[in-house]
Amino acid sequence: MALQRLGHATNLELHEALAADLPELSLTSMHRITARLIERGEIGTVATDARTVVLDARPETHDHFVCTKCGGVVDIEIPDSAINAIQQQLGTHLADAGVVVRGVCAVCRTREGSAQRSS
Ligand SMILES: [Zn+2]
Ligand SMILES: [Zn+2]
């Protein structure tokens, strides 16, 4: 499945990745298929606060880094000790949903440094 190759992707990205092999596949059916896979627990979603759902090839709970510039998603492994420290301050159990860390990825930082665009 293409999502395995992409790791993390929105329905739109996944649809684009499959378009060459499956030109008949509509974005609507794409949404329907991925919704069923999520329901069955075969794929997961990333808990970003973005409006678009980011699909995850790994169904089990894990932590993510999300780039605030390009929206890129990377799997990260936050040690239990760090999770516990955060949980103590919040009084809630974070491990259930996985932790999302936000920042600017290396690619975007390099791009920023060379282009120097203000936005
Ligand atoms: Zn980025
Ligand atoms: Zn992931």
Side-chain angles (χ1 to χ4, degrees):
M1 160 142 191
L3 185 59
Q4 241 78 39
R5 206 169 15 148
L6 295 167
H8 306 90
T10 60
N11 275 300
L12 195 64
E13 286 166 346
L14 193 57
H15 184 252
E16 275 167 15
L18 289 168
D21 297 329
L22 302 161
E24 265 106 88
L25 182 72
S26 71
L27 190 56
T28 316
S29 2
M30 188 79 248
H31 274 274
R32 241 194 329 256
I33 294 164
T34 54
R36 205 175 311 146
L37 288 170
I38 294 165
E39 223 174 74
R40 280 195 269 163
E42 288 179 35
I43 60 171
T45 53
V46 183
T48 67
D49 50 14
R51 262 156 292 170
T52 40
V53 176
V54 179
L55 306 161
D56 196 327
R58 286 173 64 188
E60 76 275 12
T61 300
H62 56 277
D63 307 312
H64 289 103
F65 172 84
V66 177
C67 177
T68 53
K69 295 244 176 228
C70 68
V73 179
V74 184
D75 282 350
I76 53 170
E77 206 79 48
I78 298 179
D80 285 348
S81 56
I83 302 267
N84 288 339
I86 302 168
Q87 271 172 189
Q88 261 169 27
Q89 295 190 34
L90 295 175
T92 183
H93 192 59
L94 291 167
D96 281 351
V99 174
V100 177
V101 179
R102 284 179 183 76
V104 179
C105 74
V107 177
C108 289
R109 200 174 298 153
T110 319
R111 204 179 290 154
E112 241 179 23
S114 53
Q116 285 297 346
R117 286 183 56 196
S118 55
S119 63

